[in-house]
Amino acid sequence: MKFTTFVTLITAALVSAEAQVPWGEASAWYSCTQSFVQEYDRGAVGDLPPCNLWDCLHRNAEEYNRGGGITLVSRVLTPTCLAAKANPGSWFPGFPGSNNGHRVSPAEDADWNECTTALLDEFDSNSTGNRAACNMWVCLHNQASKYQRGGLLTVASNLLTPICTATGVVLPK
């Protein structure tokens, strides 16, 4: 996984070298994804990894003034993460994504990082407001479904998908 982290940092440097997002900011966004992947690679299960990712993404959104209204609305998920931190593991054994302690493959790692790359591409294209955040949200949900990750937070956060869709900000595939 250390090689993958190195590749991710090089990617962040290359992305920021030819784009508007400063290297430090790009690195911060990729660090959220890498921490998330590393938690799963160490065998973490349940809601803690997605909650830690969610917290990291929110810190970056606030620090770099990104995300739009969907970032504010997604704060309704805070109780789910507080519950997850109070009871590491899953509140619902057998819940989709709750029993996901399998290691991360290089392909899965690349897929999670692709969400971050797409987010930075949105920022580079001067996408503002909800569009970048909503597209990141959709990408994270696609990966969570594909790799059976997430737990209760992922299911609860699906409540935000209709908000993104209703505002017409999610790009068609």
Side-chain angles (χ1 to χ4, degrees), residues 78-96:
T78 299
T80 304
C81 285
L82 292 175
K85 290 177 181 180
N87 180 27
S90 179
W91 285 88
F92 303 99
F95 199 74

Side-chain angles (χ1 to χ4, degrees), residues 67-163:
I70 193 68
T71 302
L72 295 174
V73 172
S74 69
R75 289 287 182 192
V76 300
L77 300 173
T78 299
T80 304
C81 285
L82 292 175
K85 290 177 181 180
N87 180 27
S90 179
W91 285 88
F92 303 99
F95 199 74
S98 66
N99 195 14
N100 46 22
H102 55 276
R103 292 186 61 91
V104 177
S105 69
E108 180 181 0
D109 186 32
D111 284 347
W112 288 109
N113 280 294
E114 181 55 37
C115 293
T116 305
T117 300
L119 176 71
L120 295 173
D121 288 345
E122 289 274 343
F123 293 160
D124 289 339
S125 69
N126 292 319
S127 178
T128 59
N130 295 322
R131 183 178 171 142
C134 283
N135 285 331
M136 174 75 159
W137 203 260
V138 169
C139 185
L140 292 174
H141 276 273
N142 289 341
Q143 301 316 328
S145 294
K146 181 177 180 178
Y147 295 105
Q148 300 175 346
R149 306 280 189 188
L152 182 59
L153 176 68
T154 301
V155 172
S157 69
N158 274 317
L159 298 172
L160 298 176
T161 301
I163 295 170

Side-chain angles (χ1 to χ4, degrees), residues 30-42 44 46-54 56 104 108-109 112 140 143-144 149-150 154:
Y30 278 109
S31 74
C32 293
T33 308
Q34 277 312 120
S35 294
F36 171 74
V37 167
Q38 288 170 0
E39 281 186 74
Y40 278 131
D41 206 41
R42 290 190 300 262
D47 292 301
L48 277 180
C51 282
N52 291 336
L53 172 66
W54 180 79
C56 185
V104 177
E108 180 181 0
D109 186 32
W112 288 109
L140 292 174
Q143 301 316 328
R149 306 280 189 188
T154 301

